[in-house]
Amino acid sequence: MKNVILIAAILFVSITALSAQSARPVSEVKTGLATLYARDPLAQSLCFRDGGYGSIFQENEVRNRCSDINFNGYNADSFTVGVEGARQGVIIDLGTSDDLQKKYGYSDGVGKVQGFASLRLTNGKFYVLKDLRARTSQELSEGGSLLQNPTSETQTAPVRLGHVYLMKLTDSYEKDFALVVKLVVVASVPNESVTFRWQVL
């Protein structure tokens, strides 16, 4: 009888702990892996809202659906942002993971992936890893250019394998709209295709 009561008590405590854990809010990380194709009429661009391609076939035409970033359509072997409607875009190339590590002096761990993972936007400022063990960050100096007014020079960036990019979209009509994304190129065939990991910040 004592064993039954003990087991029941353990089960009650376990279920209570699980319920409390599942009730905690979990921040969703919106991320994906995408491949864009220079010669595909639908897959030259990507929509970060749902991770789908930016164009569709409609009434025997290729029409825009939601094109947040384009590959090769406007500039050869390059990313172009701010290409639809009243959208304005800025994209900056931060260099490779090694470049970031050398510039900011942190240890990136196995696979050189922590620097990219650490990039974030908090209270209008961009941060990157400072110390992995201490879980500290430091301000990213390049982030300021994303906050400036976009120009035609900042709307495009050449695709380079292994490079990390930050981009921001605003809208001249929808003043409250802002989309900030980080991405890293993981595969590239020049002027044919690009594959990148992306995450909305």
Side-chain angles (χ1 to χ4, degrees):
M1 186 66 180
K2 288 181 181 178
N3 289 340
V4 172
I5 293 172
L6 181 61
I7 291 170
I10 291 171
L11 285 173
F12 175 77
V13 170
S14 300
I15 291 169
T16 304
L18 284 172
S19 298
Q21 190 174 22
S22 62
R24 290 183 195 144
V26 177
S27 60
E28 180 184 352
V29 176
K30 194 169 185 183
T31 185
L33 186 69
T35 301
L36 300 183
Y37 299 93
R39 293 176 180 85
D40 188 296
L42 305 187
Q44 284 187 348
S45 57
L46 185 75
C47 175
F48 292 116
R49 182 179 62 218
D50 56 18
Y53 290 128
S55 297
I56 57 172
F57 287 131
Q58 188 176 66
E59 297 181 5
N60 302 312
E61 294 178 352
V62 176
R63 294 185 180 178
N64 179 60
R65 181 184 73 87
C66 167
S67 297
D68 294 325
I69 189 168
N70 178 279
F71 167 66
N72 210 76
Y74 295 85
N75 298 279
D77 205 30
S78 296
F79 291 121
T80 305
V81 297
V83 298
E84 68 171 9
R87 294 285 158 87
Q88 298 171 308
V90 177
I91 183 166
I92 57 174
D93 183 346
L94 299 177
T96 65
S97 295
D98 282 339
D99 294 334
L100 278 173
Q101 182 179 0
K102 287 174 187 173
K103 180 172 182 178
Y104 289 97
Y106 57 80
S107 176
D108 204 3
V110 178
K112 307 281 185 186
V113 296
Q114 298 299 340
F116 174 76
S118 74
L119 287 169
R120 72 180 197 277
L121 176 63
T122 304
N123 298 324
K125 293 183 179 180
F126 293 89
Y127 293 88
V128 70
L129 181 65
K130 183 175 183 180
D131 187 295
L132 185 59
R133 288 189 176 184
R135 308 188 104 180
T136 55
S137 299
Q138 56 191 310
E139 192 171 342
L140 185 79
S141 61
E142 297 91 340
S145 59
L146 278 183
L147 305 176
Q148 297 170 358
N149 293 329
T151 66
S152 58
E153 290 79 27
T154 62
Q155 284 186 295
T156 186
V159 167
R160 293 188 173 104
L161 184 62
H163 279 230
V164 176
Y165 301 80
L166 281 176
M167 60 164 282
K168 181 180 179 181
L169 290 178
T170 55
D171 194 291
S172 57
Y173 294 130
E174 296 178 53
K175 299 301 182 185
D176 292 336
F177 174 84
L179 175 70
V180 180
V181 180
K182 64 182 177 182
L183 54 106
V184 58
V185 175
V186 298
S188 174
V189 179
N191 297 305
E192 288 189 20
S193 66
V194 60
T195 301
F196 55 92
R197 165 68 56 190
W198 59 270
Q199 182 181 332
V200 174
L201 298 180

